[in-house]
Amino acid sequence: QVVLRVSVPAEAGDGATHTALLTHGEQVDVLERLDFVLRNISELRKEVEELRNSLQHLAAEIVGEVRSHLEETQKVTRRRRFPFPRERSDSTGSSSIYFTASSGTANTDDGESEGGYTTANAESDYDRESERESEEGEDEVSCETVRTARRDSLDLVNEDETHLILDSSLEEGLGQLLQQADRLHDGNEQEKREGFQLLLNNKLAYADQKDFLWRLARAHSDMCELTEDTDEKRSYASDGKEEVEIALQKWDRSAECHQWYAVLCGQLSEHESIQKRIQAGYIFKEHIDKAIELKPEDPKSYYLLGRWCYQVSHLGWLEKKTASALFEAPPTATVQDALQNFLRAEELSPGFSKAGRIYIAKCYRDLGKSSAALHWMNLASELPVNTKEDAESERELEEMRSV
C-alpha cells in the first residue's frame, strides 16, 4: 500500500519522524483518479489511430478529386473562347526567313534582303508585358488545389506513398495535356490560340517539366506568327524565349529546347538592327546544329537549317559588309547547302512541308536546273494549304509559275 509522507530535512537526524501527507481515504481517491486518467489516455490513443486512418482515406480522395479537376479543366478550356488580337488576311512575309518556324517568307530574289539575325545570349531591349489575366483565374484555383493536396497529404500518409500517388496522377495528366497541345498546334489558327491558352492555364502545375516548357515556348512562337501587331509579336517572342531559356538551364540535351530557342531568337530579332540580326545568325545555327546532333531524325531542324543557308546565300551587299566589319568570320552558306538540308527533311518525312518543297524548287531554279525546279513545284502543288506559311508559299509558287 502506497503511503504518501512528508519528507524531513537531513539535518534532523535518524530520530526524525515522517508525517503522512494524505489520509488513507485521500490516497485511495488519488489512485482512482490516476487509474481514470490512464484509461482515458488509452482510449484517446485508439481514437487518434482511428482518426489517422480516416485522414489517410481522405487524402487519397483529395488526390482523386484533383486529378478529375485537372482533366475537366483541359476539356473545358478547349470549348472556351478567349479574346485575341484581330487577324488580318493581307499579312506579309517575315523579313527573316530562317527564323520563323511556321510562317513568313521574305523576298530574297533581289539579292538585297535583310537577313534575320539576333544574339541568343543578349538581353532583350523590350519590357515584358504583365502576366495575362487568364493565368490568375483557373490557374490559381486548379494549381492551388494541387499544392494543398500535396501539402496536406504529406502530413497524413507515408511520404514515399504520397509521392508515388501524386507523381503518378500528375504524370498521367501531363501526358494527356501534351497530346492535346500537340493536336491543337497542328490545327488551324483558332486551335493554335486554344492550345496557347491551355498551356498557360496549366503553367503553375507543370512549369518544372521539360516537355511542357518547350511546348509552351512553341505556343508563344505560334502566337507571334498569328498576330500582326509589332509590339505583340515582340512580347510573345520575348516571353517564349524566356520560357525556353529556363528549360535549357536544366535540360541542355533537349533537341526541342535548342530548336525552339533558335526559332524564338529569330522572331525576336525581326525588328532589330542589322547588327543584332547578324549576331543571331551565329547563335541560330549553333542551336540548330545542336538540335540535329541530339535528334538527327527530326526533319524540322533540317528544314530550319535549310532556310538559314538559303537566307545567308542571298545576303545583300550591306549585310555582307556589316558582317565582315563586325566579325572575323561572317556566316557563309551556299544554295547547294540549303538544297541538301531541304532534301534531307523531305527524305526523313516526305511531304513534311509545302514550303520546303517550294524552297527545293527555288534552289534548283537558282542552280539553273529548270526541269528539277518544275518537278518540285508540281510536287508542292500536291500538298494542301494547312497553315499560314502554306498560304504564303502558295502565293510564291504562283509567282514562280508566272515567270
Side-chain angles (χ1 to χ4, degrees):
Q1 184 178 14
V2 178
V3 178
L4 300 180
R5 298 180 180 274
V6 177
S7 60
V8 297
E11 57 270 18
D14 296 336
T17 60
H18 293 79
T19 304
L21 180 64
L22 299 176
T23 65
H24 177 74
E26 291 174 334
Q27 293 174 14
V28 171
D29 183 62
V30 169
L31 292 176
E32 289 178 351
R33 290 177 181 273
L34 289 175
D35 183 62
F36 176 77
V37 170
L38 291 176
R39 287 198 305 271
N40 286 344
I41 291 175
S42 177
E43 293 177 359
L44 182 59
R45 286 178 178 174
K46 294 180 181 179
E47 292 178 0
V48 169
E49 185 63 26
E50 292 176 357
L51 179 60
R52 179 183 178 85
N53 294 334
S54 299
L55 291 178
Q56 287 177 341
H57 292 300
L58 179 60
E61 292 177 1
I62 291 175
V63 171
E65 291 178 2
V66 170
R67 176 181 172 185
S68 299
H69 177 75
L70 291 176
E71 293 175 351
E72 184 63 24
T73 297
Q74 296 167 14
K75 295 178 182 178
V76 172
T77 302
R78 292 195 61 246
R79 298 193 296 268
R80 186 178 303 156
R81 298 181 62 86
F82 296 91
F84 287 91
R86 179 176 61 87
E87 300 298 324
R88 296 198 299 267
S89 60
D90 58 342
S91 61
T92 57
S94 165
S95 63
S96 306
I97 287 181
Y98 50 92
F99 289 76
T100 43
S102 60
S103 72
T105 56
N107 180 10
T108 61
D109 294 336
D110 59 1
E112 296 294 328
S113 71
E114 295 185 1
Y117 299 97
T118 62
T119 173
N121 296 322
E123 294 183 359
S124 171
D125 294 332
Y126 309 108
D127 293 331
R128 295 189 59 190
E129 295 180 358
S130 60
E131 290 293 332
R132 291 174 174 79
E133 293 181 357
S134 58
E135 289 189 57
E136 299 176 358
E138 188 172 351
D139 282 358
E140 296 181 356
V141 175
S142 60
C143 298
E144 182 61 28
T145 304
V146 173
R147 292 194 298 270
T148 301
R150 184 191 299 271
R151 182 175 61 250
D152 292 346
S153 60
L154 284 174
D155 296 333
L156 303 176
V157 299
N158 179 275
E159 182 175 357
D160 294 336
E161 293 179 356
T162 301
H163 282 299
L164 288 175
I165 294 173
L166 289 177
D167 291 347
S168 176
S169 177
L170 291 176
E171 182 178 354
E172 183 176 348
L174 176 62
Q176 296 174 354
L177 173 66
L178 298 184
Q179 290 180 5
Q180 186 176 0
D182 289 341
R183 181 180 59 79
L184 292 172
H185 167 73
D186 293 332
N188 56 34
E189 293 185 4
Q190 180 59 32
E191 289 174 320
K192 290 181 186 295
R193 294 188 182 99
E194 292 178 2
F196 173 72
Q197 193 63 54
L198 172 67
L199 292 171
L200 281 185
N201 288 348
N202 288 274
K203 180 179 177 180
L204 292 180
Y206 299 111
D208 60 344
Q209 299 295 320
K210 175 193 66 177
D211 292 334
F212 177 87
L213 281 178
W214 72 255
R215 283 175 171 84
L216 180 58
R218 181 184 67 183
H220 278 85
S221 176
D222 289 341
M223 295 303 300
C224 180
E225 290 301 325
L226 289 176
T227 184
E228 298 295 338
D229 183 84
T230 299
D231 290 337
E232 289 180 353
K233 281 182 175 290
R234 290 171 177 169
S235 178
Y236 283 127
S238 177
D239 291 351
K241 178 173 173 286
E242 291 185 14
E243 297 291 356
V244 78
E245 278 178 340
I246 295 173
L248 279 174
Q249 291 174 4
K250 296 177 63 177
W251 301 288
D252 184 58
R253 302 294 295 174
S254 168
E256 291 82 4
C257 288
H258 284 284
Q259 185 182 92
W260 288 104
Y261 185 82
V263 169
L264 285 157
C265 284
Q267 290 176 319
L268 188 59
S269 76
E270 290 181 2
H271 302 282
E272 296 279 10
S273 64
I274 293 177
Q275 177 181 349
K276 288 186 177 181
R277 291 200 300 270
I278 291 175
Q279 288 174 336
Y282 297 94
I283 222 66
F284 182 93
K285 188 173 187 300
E286 174 188 344
H287 283 274
I288 291 299
D289 285 344
K290 187 69 173 179
I292 291 176
E293 174 189 342
L294 295 171
K295 195 174 181 180
E297 72 281 4
D298 187 354
K300 185 176 187 64
S301 293
Y302 291 98
Y303 169 74
L304 291 171
L305 182 56
R307 294 189 66 172
W308 183 89
C309 291
Y310 191 86
Q311 182 72 32
V312 170
S313 70
H314 287 75
L315 285 177
W317 178 86
L318 178 60
E319 291 164 321
K320 291 179 180 178
K321 289 296 183 181
T322 302
S324 299
L326 294 174
F327 305 99
E328 295 181 359
T332 58
T334 65
V335 173
Q336 186 65 41
D337 294 331
L339 176 61
Q340 293 304 314
N341 283 291
F342 289 130
L343 289 175
R344 178 58 175 161
E346 183 70 21
E347 177 186 352
L348 290 171
S349 179
F352 166 75
S353 169
K354 184 181 184 74
R357 288 186 172 182
I358 293 177
Y359 270 104
I360 293 175
K362 291 170 66 176
C363 289
Y364 278 125
R365 179 198 61 185
D366 294 347
L367 294 172
K369 300 181 179 180
S370 301
S371 59
L374 180 60
H375 171 69
W376 282 98
M377 289 169 62
N378 293 333
L379 289 178
S381 300
E382 297 175 358
L383 298 179
V385 176
N386 294 323
T387 65
K388 183 178 180 180
E389 180 186 26
D390 288 341
E392 294 173 347
S393 299
E394 182 73 15
R395 289 194 292 270
E396 187 169 5
L397 181 60
E398 294 301 323
E399 293 176 1
M400 293 174 62
R401 291 185 182 279
S402 63
V403 175

